[in-house]
Amino acid sequence: MSGKKFAFGKVGQRAGYIIRVQSPEGMKKINSTKRETAAAFLKKVAKEFGFNSNGFSVYLNRNKTGEILSQNKTLSLLKIKHGDMLFLFPSSSSQSSENMDTFSEDDIDQYLSKQEGKIYRNRDAQLCRHGPMGKCVHCVPLEPFDEDYLNHLDPPVKHMSFHAYIRKLTGGADKGKFVALENISCKIKSGCEGHLPWPEGICTKCQPSAITLNRQKYRHVDNIMFENHTIADRFLDFWRKTGNQRMGYLYGRYTEHKDIPLGIRAEVAAIYEPPQIGTQNSLELIDDPRAAAVEEIAAKLGLRKVGWIFTDLLSEDTRIGTVRYTRNKDSYFLSSEECITAGHFQNQHANPCRLSPDGHFGSKFVTVVATGGPDNQVHFEGYQVSNQCMALVRDECLLPCRDAPELGYAKESSSEQYVPDVFYKITTTFPKDPVFTFSSMLRFPIENRDALGETQDFHSLATYLSQCSSSSSFLDIVSDFHLLIFLVTNDVMPLRDSIGLLLEAVKTSNEELAQTWKKSEQWATIEQLCSECISNSLEIWEDSCASAGSRQALWTMPWVARLSQHPPLSCGHASTAPS
C-alpha cells in the first residue's frame, strides 16, 4: 500500500561507535570506541549477555572464524568498525542467561533452516544445448525466493515463504553477516536523560521512527489445512442450529508445505471452543478457567495452538442452504476490528527467531474466517496480519472505525486511515485423503455449548460410551479431543495428574498403552460413575412409564440394561441430539 503513512515522529540520527553482537538468543548493541581494547570490549559483552569471563567466544564471522581474543589490541587494529556485526557462541560448559538457556526456535524452523531449498528444473529440450550432465541458464536450479518462478505458479504466489526470505537476506557475498530482523516499535524509548519525559520533552534518540505501510514480501505461514471435513463441520453445527456466530482456537502442528519453496503449513487437528457469548452479529469472549488445562493436554498430545477461527455467516436461502457473499474486493476481507484482534493474538504467539535482537520476529498464528463465497456456499479463508500491523496493535496505535468496518484510524492523530494491506491471504485447504489425529468416529459433546442443550457431564459420557460397538478398540473410543478435555477438567473426578499415559497413547496411537491405562483405578471409577448415571436414568424412566400405565417405551433404551451388565463398551445406539 504505497503512499499511506502512519507518522509517529522523524527518523533520528545514530551517534557513537556501536558494535552489534549476534547470539543464539538474539542481537544486542554494545557501545564502544575504536580505541577500546578487545579485552575491555569482551568484558562489556560478558556483562550484557550475563556470562562469566570465559563462558563464551566471539567471532568475526558466522561460521566461527576470526575469533576475537582477550588482548590489548584496539578494535580499530582488529578492523572492527562502527555498525559491524560480531557473532557470539556460548561454550558447551558455560551457563548463559535465563533467556539464552530457554530460547529455541520451533522444530519446523530448525528443519527448514537445514534444507537446501533450491528449485530444480528439468533439461529444456528446445532451449538447452548441452548434454544430460550439463546445466545452463534455462535449467540451472533457482533460489527459493525467485519471484518470477513464484509469480508463474498456479495460483501465483505473491508472498515468498519466511525461510525463503531469510535465504535471500543471507545469500549474498557477506552470507548475512549484517542481517538483523528488528521488530518495529511505535513507542517512545525510555531512559533518555537529556530532557524531561514525554510529553514535556522528546528528542531524535527517543522518538520512534515514522512508519509507512507497505506490502510485506513474505509470510510466516503459507498454507492452512484441516485434517478432515469433520473438524470444520462440527464447528459449523453451532451456527446451523442457532444462527449465532462462533469462535474457536485451532490446535495442530506446523509442518513443511512442499508446494512452495521452504514453505510452512499449519495443520489443524482439533478446534477448542472457549466460553463466549455469540449473537447474529457479534462475539464476546469470556474468561476461560480451562485454558491452562487445555494447553497442557494439547502439549502432551504433541499439539499447539496454531490459530483461531470464527464464523461470519448469514443465510441467503434456507430452502437450499445458501449463505450471503459479503467479503470481497468491493467491501473488505477482514474488518479493522478483526485485524486488530488477529494482531493481538499474533503478538501473544510470537515466532522465535535467532536473527532477531529480541529473540522473536513475526508470528505463525493464523486467522481463519468461515464465510460465504462467490458461489453462496461456506468457504474457509485464511489470513495473517503483517508485522507492521502487529506493532501498531501491540503499541495501541490502531482503533477500529464504528461506522465503516474496513477503516481504522491512528489513535495519536485521530485521522482516519484506510488499512487494506496490513494482512495477507493464506490458502486454506482440505486433504484429498482425510487424516485423523483423533480416530474416534463418535461425537462427544463439544465444550461450552450449553446454549444448544449439549453438556459435558457423566451422563453424556455414559451415552457416548454406549454408542461404541464391542469391536471398537479402547484407543479409538478415547481418541477424541473434547472427551480428553472433559476427563481432565470435570468437577467430579478430574484426571489431570493421572491421564499422562493415556495422552501418550493417543499421541503415539499405541493401543497397548491405552489398555494399560484402562486397567487403572481411575478408569474403573469413571465406569462406576457412568453406571450410576444410567441406573438413575433407568429409575426415572421406569417411574415415568409406570405413571403412564405402560412399560412399552422401555424398548427405546435397550442399551441401558446391557451397560449395567457389561460396562461400558458392549453397547447399542442412543441419540444425544437436542430436540
Side-chain angles (χ1 to χ4, degrees), residues 229-264:
H229 286 275
T230 304
I231 299 170
D233 285 340
R234 294 197 68 187
F235 176 71
L236 292 177
D237 276 346
F238 187 91
W239 173 79
R240 294 186 183 118
K241 294 176 180 178
T242 67
N244 294 333
Q245 308 305 333
R246 194 67 172 168
M247 175 269 187
Y249 291 116
L250 306 174
Y251 280 87
R253 56 186 70 84
Y254 296 112
T255 60
E256 182 182 9
H257 181 48
K258 297 183 179 180
D259 294 344
I260 294 176
L262 299 178
I264 292 178

Side-chain angles (χ1 to χ4, degrees), residues 9-291:
K10 299 179 180 179
V11 179
Q13 298 295 322
R14 294 186 179 273
Y17 201 79
I18 297 176
I19 308 298
R20 298 176 297 166
V21 180
Q22 180 75 56
S23 75
E25 72 168 354
M27 187 194 74
K28 294 187 178 183
K29 298 176 182 178
I30 310 295
N31 291 316
S32 182
T33 65
K34 63 181 180 180
R35 296 182 179 178
E36 187 172 44
T37 64
F41 175 75
L42 291 176
K43 286 183 180 180
K44 289 183 178 179
V45 173
K47 182 179 180 181
E48 187 70 25
F49 284 91
F51 283 103
N52 55 39
S53 59
N54 58 358
F56 65 97
S57 299
V58 177
Y59 300 89
L60 293 173
N61 304 305
R62 194 187 297 274
N63 61 358
K64 294 188 178 182
T65 59
E67 183 178 0
I68 300 173
L69 302 175
S70 182
Q71 54 187 329
N72 290 327
K73 285 187 177 180
T74 63
L75 297 184
S76 59
L77 289 176
L78 295 173
K79 298 183 178 179
I80 298 175
K81 304 181 295 299
H82 169 68
D84 277 1
M85 174 83 81
L86 305 178
F87 301 94
L88 181 149
F89 294 92
S91 61
S92 57
S93 60
S94 67
Q95 292 295 323
S96 171
S97 63
E98 180 179 353
N99 288 339
M100 186 79 77
D101 289 335
T102 59
F103 174 79
S104 177
E105 289 187 313
D106 292 339
D107 291 342
I108 184 61
D109 294 315
Q110 295 182 42
Y111 170 78
L112 291 176
S113 66
K114 299 174 184 177
Q115 303 307 303
E116 184 183 21
K118 296 281 188 179
I119 304 167
Y120 286 90
R121 299 182 292 173
N122 295 325
R123 182 177 180 273
D124 192 302
Q126 294 181 340
L127 300 176
C128 295
R129 304 298 181 185
H130 51 77
M133 302 301 294
K135 290 291 182 183
C136 68
V137 293
H138 303 294
C139 62
V140 69
L142 301 174
E143 295 291 345
F145 48 83
D146 189 281
E147 294 187 11
D148 186 61
Y149 170 83
L150 297 175
N151 289 331
H152 282 84
L153 290 176
D154 184 23
V157 176
K158 295 181 180 179
H159 308 271
M160 70 181 74
S161 67
F162 179 60
H163 280 270
Y165 177 70
I166 291 178
R167 258 345 126 79
K168 186 175 183 178
L169 295 179
T170 59
D174 61 0
K175 300 299 181 182
K177 179 179 179 180
F178 301 101
V179 172
L181 300 176
E182 297 195 21
N183 292 292
I184 300 169
S185 176
C186 306
K187 288 186 176 181
I188 294 175
K189 298 177 183 177
S190 60
C192 197
E193 301 176 353
H195 53 77
L196 294 174
W198 174 263
E200 281 75 20
I202 193 171
C203 68
T204 56
K205 292 182 180 179
C206 60
Q207 69 180 13
S209 301
I211 293 180
T212 301
L213 293 183
N214 296 310
R215 184 171 70 89
Q216 192 163 291
K217 296 181 179 180
Y218 58 89
R219 56 189 178 188
H220 290 272
V221 172
D222 305 279
N223 179 263
I224 305 167
M225 186 184 76
F226 289 81
E227 285 189 348
N228 54 75
H229 286 275
T230 304
I231 299 170
D233 285 340
R234 294 197 68 187
F235 176 71
L236 292 177
D237 276 346
F238 187 91
W239 173 79
R240 294 186 183 118
K241 294 176 180 178
T242 67
N244 294 333
Q245 308 305 333
R246 194 67 172 168
M247 175 269 187
Y249 291 116
L250 306 174
Y251 280 87
R253 56 186 70 84
Y254 296 112
T255 60
E256 182 182 9
H257 181 48
K258 297 183 179 180
D259 294 344
I260 294 176
L262 299 178
I264 292 178
R265 165 183 284 162
E267 290 187 5
V268 180
I271 300 176
Y272 170 72
E273 300 176 17
Q276 57 194 280
I277 299 173
T279 69
Q280 189 176 8
N281 301 308
S282 66
L283 278 171
E284 179 184 353
L285 293 182
I286 304 172
D287 289 340
D288 185 6
R290 301 185 188 181

Side-chain angles (χ1 to χ4, degrees), residues 402-431:
R402 183 175 299 178
D403 301 326
E406 73 276 14
L407 297 179
Y409 68 92
K411 186 176 180 180
E412 281 75 10
S413 62
S414 297
S415 59
E416 291 189 1
Q417 298 288 333
Y418 181 51
V419 191
D421 206 23
V422 297
F423 61 87
Y424 48 92
K425 198 169 183 179
I426 306 171
T427 305
T428 305
T429 59
F430 292 87

